[in-house]
């Protein structure tokens, strides 16, 4: 056990103008034990940066995902994991066995086979967005015009949102994500409208069940009507900006490394390389626990930084290189343990189709601004791009 | 080599099916099932990969 005082490091971890993952992660990984940081709300959080330690934290029974525990390291009042009393059914904030009832009810919707069956519909969605971009001229913002709408349309079709309402659904989810372009008030309104819409959709499916996720969940009878809207909002939020950021960052990286365009392994490497969900897995110790020799007391927050783990040189050779041919596959971009991303196979298919179709249909695709001028998100939970201006040669 | 799984621990992430589709499958409930308890030698590497990637450590590989 280390006896010296653990180093205290500043929060936020990402800063404007810096590369991601932040260069100082390497310094944190190299130290004995853990480093500690204080969040804007004063909460203490141990930062876990080594690949091995991140996997250990995410599978420890002494460590909880439940924000009801005092000391839970929510980043701020609006960023982090909501409590069950705020949004019942937000099961990423529950531990086993409560968590497992939700997870088990949803797993059949996200199996490798089920996701494969969604392929044709995803391809159509992607094609339609590309058609719209091409029809509008020779330039676009790939974030607003492609990366954000594609996952939103995919989720709305999965949930059984009727085609006529998808435009509404997409515009409201876009407001939620646009932390720069929308006000708190607009986001609050959009959230309420979405919740109201989802409540109505559930009521409709109770009356007239269809061939969709909501109807099937209702039929299993394992989730009650109060929990269902929270589960659906979780799917929407967990699967929207995460996927969008990965699509946009992946396209940026492929444009910089064109030798990998057309290689499907770029999907997995993009997940590791960009690790957009760096501040997503938040935890709190519920018993004293030792991590890498550091004693963490019950009631202290723990943040496993997946981007740091995915760039750990003891787990990945030359982690700073974008190398889709690399042999190591054990990245934790989707987390690890019982909460490991439920939507991961859907994401893989979406990303693969998005990359392939974009470069197939628009071979002359290029960045419209120098890479250094791209606006990176450094102030939110997720890593990503606010905008990705691209252009192409009109044929 | 032979493999056993603990479906009660499985969280249906599908890493096994993705990486060793000849050996693992997901049933209607989305939980892991074993298609081939004794994988062929050329499948051994994929099975080991599935074992290390499984987030719930539901896959056990036995050397016989
Ligand atoms: C590239 C895109 C995505 C990334 C990087 C990502 C990342 C993650 C991570 C790191 C977790 C673990 C959270 C924790 O440990 O507390 C997680 C959980 C989750 N993700 Fe994703 N996700 C993505 C897309 C999606 C999609 C498309 C969906 C569904 C439509 C989805 C649904 C979920 C759900 C429901 C959970 C909670 C699972 C549980 O608690 O059992 N995600 N995701
Ligand atoms: S990888 Fe593990 S958790 Fe995922 S489906 Fe296979 S056995 Fe289940």
């Amino acid at each position: 056990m280390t006896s010296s005082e653990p180093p205290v490091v500043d929060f936020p971890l990402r800063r404007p103008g810096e590369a991601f993952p932040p260069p100082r992660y390497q310094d944190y990984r190299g130290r004995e034990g853990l480093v500690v940081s204080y969040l804007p709300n004063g909460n203490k959080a141990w930062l876990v940066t080594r690949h091995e330690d991140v996997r250990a934290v995410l599978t420890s029974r002494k460590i909880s995902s439940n924000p009801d525990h005092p000391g839970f390291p929510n980043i701020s009042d609006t960023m982090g994991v909501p409590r069950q009393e705020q949004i019942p059914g937000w099961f990423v904030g529950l531990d086993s066995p409560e968590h497992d009832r939700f997870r088990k009810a949803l797993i059949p919707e996200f199996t490798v086979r089920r996701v494969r069956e969604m392929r044709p519909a995803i391809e159509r969605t992607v094609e339609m967005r590309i058609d719209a971009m091409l029809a509008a001229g020779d330039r676009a913002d790939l974030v607003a015009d492609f990366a954000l709408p594609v996952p939103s349309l995919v989720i709305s079709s999965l949930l059984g949102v009727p085609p006529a309402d998808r435009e509404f659904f997409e515009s409201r989810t876009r407001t939620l994500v646009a932390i720069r372009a929308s006000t708190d008030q607009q986001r609050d309104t959009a959230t309420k409208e979405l919740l109201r819409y989802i409540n109505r959709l559930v009521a409709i499916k109770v009356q007239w069940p269809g061939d969709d996720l909501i109807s099937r969940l209702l039929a299993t009878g394992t989730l009650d009507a109060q929990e269902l809207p929270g589960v659906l909002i979780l799917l929407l939020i967990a699967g929207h900006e995460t996927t969008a950021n990965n699509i946009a960052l992946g396209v940026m990286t492929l444009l910089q490394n064109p030798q990998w365009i057309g290689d499907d392994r770029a999907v997995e490497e993009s997940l590791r390389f960009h690790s957009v969900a760096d501040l997503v897995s938040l935890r709190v110790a519920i018993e004293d626990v030792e991590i890498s020799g550091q004693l963490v007391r019950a009631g202290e927050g723990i943040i496993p930084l997946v981007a740091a783990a995915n760039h750990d040189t003891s787990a990945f050779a030359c982690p700073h290189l974008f190398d889709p041919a690399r042999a190591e596959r054990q990245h934790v971009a989707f987390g690890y343990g019982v909460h490991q991303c439920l939507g991961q196979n859907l994401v893989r298919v979406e990303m693969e189709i998005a990359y392939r179709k974009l470069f197939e249909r628009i071979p002359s695709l290029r960045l419209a601004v120098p890479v250094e001028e791209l606006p990176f998100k450094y102030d939110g939970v997720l890593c990503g791009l606010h905008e990705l201006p691209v252009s192409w040669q009109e044929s | 080599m032979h493999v056993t799984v603990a479906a009660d621990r499985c969280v249906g992430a599908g890493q096994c099916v993705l990486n060793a589709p000849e050996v693992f499958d997901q049933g209607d409930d989305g939980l892991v099932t074993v298609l081939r308890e004794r994988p062929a030698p050329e499948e051994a590497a994929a099975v080991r990969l599935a074992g290390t990637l499984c987030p719930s450590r539901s896959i056990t590989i036995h050397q016989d």
Side-chain angles (χ1 to χ4, degrees):
Chain A
M1 195 149 309
T2 50
S3 51
S4 55
E5 282 298 300
V8 177
V9 303
D10 286 341
F11 203 86
L13 304 168
R14 277 176 258 150
R15 319 233 168 108
E18 262 185 10
F20 185 80
R24 69 193 87 74
Y25 281 5
Q26 194 176 340
D27 168 46
Y28 303 167
R29 267 194 313 265
R31 295 177 188 238
E32 225 178 293
L34 305 177
V35 300
V36 70
S37 194
Y38 290 87
L39 306 176
N41 52 15
N43 277 342
K44 174 178 180 173
W46 294 98
L47 305 181
V48 183
T49 53
R50 284 180 286 269
H51 185 266
E52 195 189 339
D53 293 344
V54 165
R55 294 230 287 196
V57 164
L58 293 176
T59 48
S60 168
R61 288 181 180 279
K62 297 178 177 175
I63 295 175
S64 165
S65 292
N66 193 329
D68 281 345
H69 290 294
F72 190 85
N74 268 342
I75 314 294
S76 72
D77 291 344
T78 53
M79 281 193 268
V81 185
R83 298 150 51 116
Q84 290 301 304
E85 70 180 39
Q86 294 168 301
I87 308 185
W90 194 276
F91 64 93
V92 73
L94 291 172
D95 297 322
S96 295
E98 292 80 17
H99 156 271
D100 307 353
R101 176 168 60 95
F102 293 91
R103 177 100 188 187
K104 290 238 156 79
L106 284 161
I107 290 173
E109 302 294 331
F110 292 92
T111 59
V112 173
R113 188 177 308 125
R114 184 59 71 75
V115 167
R116 209 167 282 150
E117 288 164 7
M118 294 180 212
R119 229 170 223 289
I122 298 173
E123 286 182 351
R124 276 196 302 278
T125 302
V126 167
E127 293 275 6
M128 275 166 50
R129 294 312 307 178
I130 297 175
D131 289 342
M133 280 189 348
L134 290 174
D138 65 352
R139 55 193 54 239
D141 169 11
L142 206 81
V143 171
D145 298 333
F146 186 77
L148 279 171
V150 165
S152 168
L153 293 166
V154 168
I155 295 170
S156 59
S157 102
L158 177 74
L159 297 187
V161 173
D165 294 344
R166 289 191 191 155
E167 208 45 51
F168 160 86
F169 199 78
E170 206 270 302
S171 75
R172 298 310 185 277
T173 56
R174 193 185 337 196
T175 306
L176 285 190
V177 172
I179 32 180
R180 285 207 314 189
S182 62
T183 62
D184 279 352
Q185 162 119 50
Q186 283 169 325
R187 285 197 298 277
D188 194 50
T189 309
T191 310
K192 291 205 176 101
E193 285 177 338
L194 271 176
L195 257 175
R196 208 175 314 133
Y197 181 81
I198 284 187
N199 277 311
R200 214 175 57 211
L201 193 60
V202 172
I204 290 171
K205 303 290 178 190
V206 170
Q207 280 289 326
W208 297 284
D211 180 19
D212 54 67
L213 180 145
I214 300 180
S215 304
R216 284 189 293 269
L217 281 181
L218 283 165
T220 64
T222 51
L223 306 182
D224 69 42
Q226 272 92 56
E227 295 165 334
L228 200 49
V231 169
L232 302 176
I233 286 280
L234 170 62
L235 291 182
L236 173 65
I237 304 230
H240 185 219
E241 195 193 345
T242 43
T243 310
N245 291 358
N246 250 303
I247 291 176
L249 287 168
V251 170
M252 176 197 78
T253 305
L254 286 171
L255 288 171
Q256 293 172 286
N257 301 270
Q259 71 275 26
W260 295 113
I261 290 174
D263 191 324
D264 285 344
R265 291 175 298 179
V267 169
E268 212 62 38
E269 178 65 347
S270 174
L271 288 162
R272 179 198 70 86
F273 189 74
H274 295 295
S275 299
V276 303
D278 196 34
L279 283 177
V280 165
S281 298
L282 306 175
R283 299 291 190 269
V284 62
I286 48 174
E287 287 175 42
D288 291 359
V289 58
E290 204 183 300
I291 305 165
S292 252
Q294 175 65 52
L295 174 67
V296 173
R297 297 268 180 207
E300 291 179 341
I302 305 172
I303 306 186
L305 297 167
V306 299
N310 284 341
H311 287 257
D312 182 345
T313 46
S314 58
F316 301 93
C318 304
H320 57 289
L321 294 182
F322 181 79
D323 177 13
R326 68 171 60 250
E328 311 91 352
R329 293 281 313 281
Q330 74 289 24
H331 71 73
V332 286
F334 290 122
Y336 197 65
V338 297
H339 292 282
Q340 191 184 58
C341 184
L342 178 71
Q344 57 181 286
N345 294 308
L346 180 58
V347 175
R348 290 187 170 102
V349 168
E350 276 185 72
M351 286 171 63
E352 181 219 303
I353 294 174
Y355 297 165
R356 182 160 38 78
K357 293 272 177 205
L358 257 187
F359 290 107
E360 232 171 61
R361 297 276 312 273
I362 323 182
S364 63
L365 192 73
R366 56 175 180 251
L367 293 180
V369 299
V371 132
E372 310 79 63
E373 286 174 24
L374 290 175
F376 280 88
K377 294 179 176 174
Y378 58 86
D379 41 7
V381 166
L382 299 176
C383 183
L385 292 167
H386 291 288
E387 276 170 35
L388 180 57
V390 292
S391 61
W392 55 85
Q393 237 137 23
E394 268 179 298
S395 49
Chain B
M1 164 199 272
H2 78 279
V3 285
T4 53
V5 294
D8 55 325
R9 301 173 52 129
C10 170
V11 295
Q15 304 256 22
C16 52
V17 186
L18 215 55
N19 290 290
E22 276 78 38
V23 178
F24 302 102
D25 197 5
Q26 287 168 285
D28 286 339
D29 55 6
L31 302 179
V32 63
T33 57
V34 178
L35 297 175
R36 193 144 55 215
E37 222 172 278
R38 295 193 173 274
E42 64 273 18
E43 291 160 352
V47 170
R48 266 191 220 100
L49 177 65
T52 52
L53 294 186
C54 172
S56 61
R57 306 202 168 132
S58 305
I59 298 171
T60 312
I61 296 165
H62 312 262
Q63 298 302 340
D64 24 38

